[in-house]
Each structure stands twice: as C-alpha cells, then as structure tokens.
Amino acid sequence: MKNQYQRRGIIRVLLILFSTVAILNLTCLKIEEVNISFLLPAIVDLAARFMIMCLVFGYSYVILKIGIFLFMYAKYISVLGVFFIIPQVSQIQNLLEAVGVTAVAIDLFWFFRETLGDQLWKLAFSDSLTGLMNRGAFLSEARKILKLYSQKGKSAAVVYLDLDRFKSVNDKHGHHMGDQILEAVGKRLKSVVRKNDIVGQIGGDEFVILLTDIDERNIEEIIQRLVKTISCPVTVNGNPFCVGVSTGIAVFPENGKTIEELTRNADKAMYEAKNRSIGYMFCSQVNIEEDGVKTCTSGKKN
C-alpha cells in the first residue's frame, strides 16, 4: 500500500512538471543562450529535492508531502527560468520555498507532538517503574476533579497506602527485587480501582488513590479488595514475598476540601492503622485535630 501511494504521487508530480514545461513553452519566450554555470548546480539541487520528495511520498502526511513538493517545484521553476523568460522568477521561487518550508515545519511539529507526546508525558508525569502518576501529576489531576465535584456536590475519597515489611525485603534481597515487587503492586492497584479513579505513587513504597464519585459503603468494599489483593504473596523469580499494606482513607468533602488536606489526613489515618496493625482506617476532619488527637473508624485486615 505504501509503495502504491508513492508511485501514484510521483506520477502526479511528473505530470505537473511536464504540464508546466508545456504551458511555459506556449506562453513564454525562449532564451537562446543557456547559462551553463548556473544550470549544472541547479540541476543537482533539483535532483536532491526530487529524491527527498520521492521518499516522503511513501508516507501519508499530506501537508508534509505538499510542503516538500512546493520546495522541489520552486527549484524546478528556477531551472526552467534558464530556458524561458519567466516574469519575476526569483520572487516565485522564494515564495514557493517559503510556503513549502512552512508546511513542512508545521507537519513535523504535529508529527513529533503525536509520536513523542505520550513518551514525554510519561517521563514528566509518571513513575518509570510502575507507570503510575507521580506526585505532581496526581495532585494536579486530583485538584481538577475535586474542583468539579465541589461545584456538583459529589463525594470522593483519598486512599493512602503504605507497604508493610517492604523495607526489610528491600534491604535483605536488594533493590532489584524491591523494584519488581513495586511493579507488581502497581499492576494490582490498577486492576482493583475503577476506570475513572486515579492512582499515583508519591514515595518509594507509598501510593495514593482518588476514588471518584463514591459513597462510604462502596469505599469500604474497594478498600477491602485492595488490602486483600496487595496482601496476597508477590512471587518474584519463584520466591513468594508477603509485604502487606496499611491504608488510610479521607472522604471528600467531610475530611478535607483540598487534595493536600485530604492526603494529609489520609496519611495520618494510615499511620494509625499501621501502629494498630490493622489493614485500613477511616478518619474524619472532626476527629483528626492539629494537636495530634486521633480517633478513626477502623477495619481489620483480612
């Protein structure tokens, strides 16, 4: 298919080139003495542009093909100006080249934006190991969602997770083994949350989830699945590792009106759950005060 498009494009270009010669032959006077010193390098330049055009015509980028064609056609007109008296041939060449180069630049810009956009986004806004959002990307996306939910009166929840016993595994078996465990945990988190929820990795073994448009009963169902799924042994190179997880939950807007406040309160609840050796713990803005007094609704590990 690619070669077929390429052949068709080149045939059309050749027809345009021959038609141009025929039209100039009928409408313009011929020049009797040909400037050979200009003609030879101009033909070499034209041949190079024509070969570039033939390569580009194998692709489906229309604007790029038009731009390269105009860039080649400008030199073609310049060469014909050696044989025919063409009014303002230099201005015509400059105009065609300018339009052609602009079209090529525009199409290349969109090409690189499409092909490299996802990769650049991943490098800037996601963790290279797990593929989850990094801290900055998560907070930015969560702010947008909470702003919309505040206007529409919807509920959401921030879930803060910290892996248990991960440090000991990492210290004993090395960072390579720890990285594989983190990668496996990231995949498990994505398998449990719903399509519209967002998941981020904000520390080495710390994760945060924004559960969108949800009530407290559904929150607990998802949290129980999360704890159960992550607590299952992670097998790496045939060796099972039981890391477990401690989780804190802050509900929007009851436990905070900003993502920073919700994350902070969920973090406090997570540490309380870890201290009590329970799987997850709900907190409330009323019960978590700045003086450090904490009373939370808790749930036990499965």
Side-chain angles (χ1 to χ4, degrees), residues 129 141 254-255:
L129 180 64
E141 189 66 22
E254 291 88 344
N255 303 148

Side-chain angles (χ1 to χ4, degrees), residues 10 16 24 34 36 44-45 72 79 121 124 158 171 180 201 209 225 248 261 279 283 290:
I10 294 172
I16 293 173
L24 292 177
V34 177
I36 301 297
V44 172
D45 188 1
M72 184 278 302
V79 171
W121 191 94
V158 170
D171 293 341
Q180 294 186 65
Q201 184 176 1
I209 302 171
R225 290 206 307 271
E261 189 176 9
C283 67
E290 291 298 325

Side-chain angles (χ1 to χ4, degrees), residues 242-268:
C242 299
V243 290
V245 65
S246 297
T247 308
I249 307 102
V251 180
F252 172 83
E254 291 88 344
N255 303 148
K257 301 191 184 302
T258 66
I259 184 59
E260 290 80 7
E261 189 176 9
L262 289 164
T263 303
R264 186 168 58 249
N265 286 338
D267 184 31
K268 291 179 181 179

Side-chain angles (χ1 to χ4, degrees), residues 29-91:
L29 297 175
K30 295 182 180 179
I31 297 176
E32 296 181 357
E33 295 184 3
V34 177
N35 186 356
I36 301 297
S37 62
F38 169 81
L39 183 60
L40 291 178
I43 290 178
V44 172
D45 188 1
L46 175 62
R49 297 189 190 196
F50 184 80
M51 286 189 290
I52 294 173
M53 184 201 66
C54 291
L55 293 174
V56 170
F57 269 41
Y59 298 91
S60 59
Y61 303 101
V62 177
I63 297 177
L64 180 62
K65 289 193 284 190
I66 292 173
I68 291 294
F69 167 74
L70 291 177
F71 186 65
M72 184 278 302
Y73 193 66
K75 179 54 67 174
Y76 183 68
I77 292 293
S78 176
V79 171
L80 292 180
V82 177
F83 301 96
F84 300 95
I85 300 175
I86 303 174
Q88 299 179 331
V89 63
S90 297
Q91 289 85 341

